[in-house]
Amino acid sequence: MTDPMSVYTGGEIIAGNKGLGATFQFGVSKGDWGALGKLEAKNNFENYRVRFFTPNKKTGTGLFIDAGHDFSVDGITSNYATFGVMQVFPISEKVKLYSALTYGKSWEAKDQFKETRIISSVNYIKYDFAEKFFLQIAPQYSYGLDGEETRKFSAEFQIGYKVDSDNVVVITGDSDNNAWITYRARF
């Protein structure tokens, strides 16, 4: 449940400095392949994200579609849709790098900013430093190809506790001065 490539059915409850949220995901696996559909709401349900992900356990490669809708800023409704590929690179028994590259676009519903094609690089560096604890750092860089000039670096830092095989608690902070706690359950 703490692996960015994991496929399972479950949910999350999220509380942070921007309010409450929740996530539901449905996962199925057959052989080396899995499929995961995920719906996430954050920031007092003013920010939505939908994701469809198909990882291959044998090759460590995953393909995904990711889309979001955010109306948390008064008068602005921003949207994005991307397609991406992720690859896992085991560095050691306790450290893994999950590297993703995405291509898509962002736009504002009332044309308050220009439609922009975006390429993003996201890397998750995960360290299982104890049997029940892990650290994860996720730097991301987004580059706008046209439209709005987009050059954005951001990062998340997580520390997580694996309560048992079906429950995890994660504390997250990011480079935009946000912090939240997540309770994740598999069912």
Side-chain angles (χ1 to χ4, degrees):
M1 291 178 53
T2 63
D3 186 325
M5 299 280 278
S6 65
V7 172
Y8 63 92
T9 298
E12 298 176 342
I13 297 174
I14 305 160
N17 65 312
K18 287 192 171 180
L20 301 175
T23 298
F24 175 74
Q25 64 185 45
F26 180 77
V28 294
S29 294
K30 182 158 176 109
D32 292 334
W33 286 96
L36 174 74
K38 184 174 187 176
L39 176 61
E40 178 180 282
K42 289 173 78 173
N43 303 337
N44 284 333
F45 301 90
E46 292 182 331
N47 182 311
Y48 295 95
R49 177 181 178 202
V50 176
R51 187 173 194 206
F52 181 72
F53 183 49
T54 59
N56 183 293
K57 295 175 193 174
K58 187 174 184 178
T59 65
T61 303
L63 302 173
F64 60 93
I65 297 170
D66 197 2
H69 174 77
D70 184 350
F71 57 95
S72 62
V73 177
D74 286 339
I76 296 176
T77 302
S78 60
N79 303 286
Y80 74 90
T82 61
F83 171 78
V85 61
M86 179 182 280
Q87 181 65 49
V88 62
F89 300 99
I91 296 172
S92 72
E93 186 177 313
K94 294 185 177 204
V95 179
K96 290 183 182 175
L97 168 66
Y98 303 84
S99 190
L101 188 62
T102 67
Y103 172 79
K105 69 177 183 175
S106 66
W107 67 97
E108 202 281 327
K110 298 172 192 151
D111 295 324
Q112 295 199 35
F113 61 82
K114 297 176 194 171
E115 185 174 298
T116 306
R117 292 179 301 135
I118 294 178
I119 292 177
S120 294
S121 170
V122 184
N123 293 285
Y124 302 91
I125 302 148
K126 185 171 174 268
Y127 174 46
D128 292 309
F129 65 90
E131 182 181 341
K132 292 190 171 240
F133 290 93
F134 67 93
L135 291 172
Q136 184 167 278
I137 299 170
Q140 174 177 334
Y141 183 75
S142 297
Y143 182 86
L145 299 171
D146 56 10
E148 296 293 321
E149 184 173 328
T150 304
R151 312 288 186 271
K152 183 177 181 188
F153 175 80
S154 60
E156 283 185 3
F157 175 80
Q158 296 182 340
I159 184 163
Y161 173 68
K162 304 170 196 171
V163 177
D164 57 34
S165 62
D166 293 326
N167 298 280
V168 176
V169 176
V170 181
I171 298 171
T172 306
D174 70 16
S175 57
D176 293 328
N177 296 319
N178 297 306
W180 60 96
I181 186 167
T182 304
Y183 169 71
R184 186 179 303 159
R186 174 175 37 206
F187 39 86

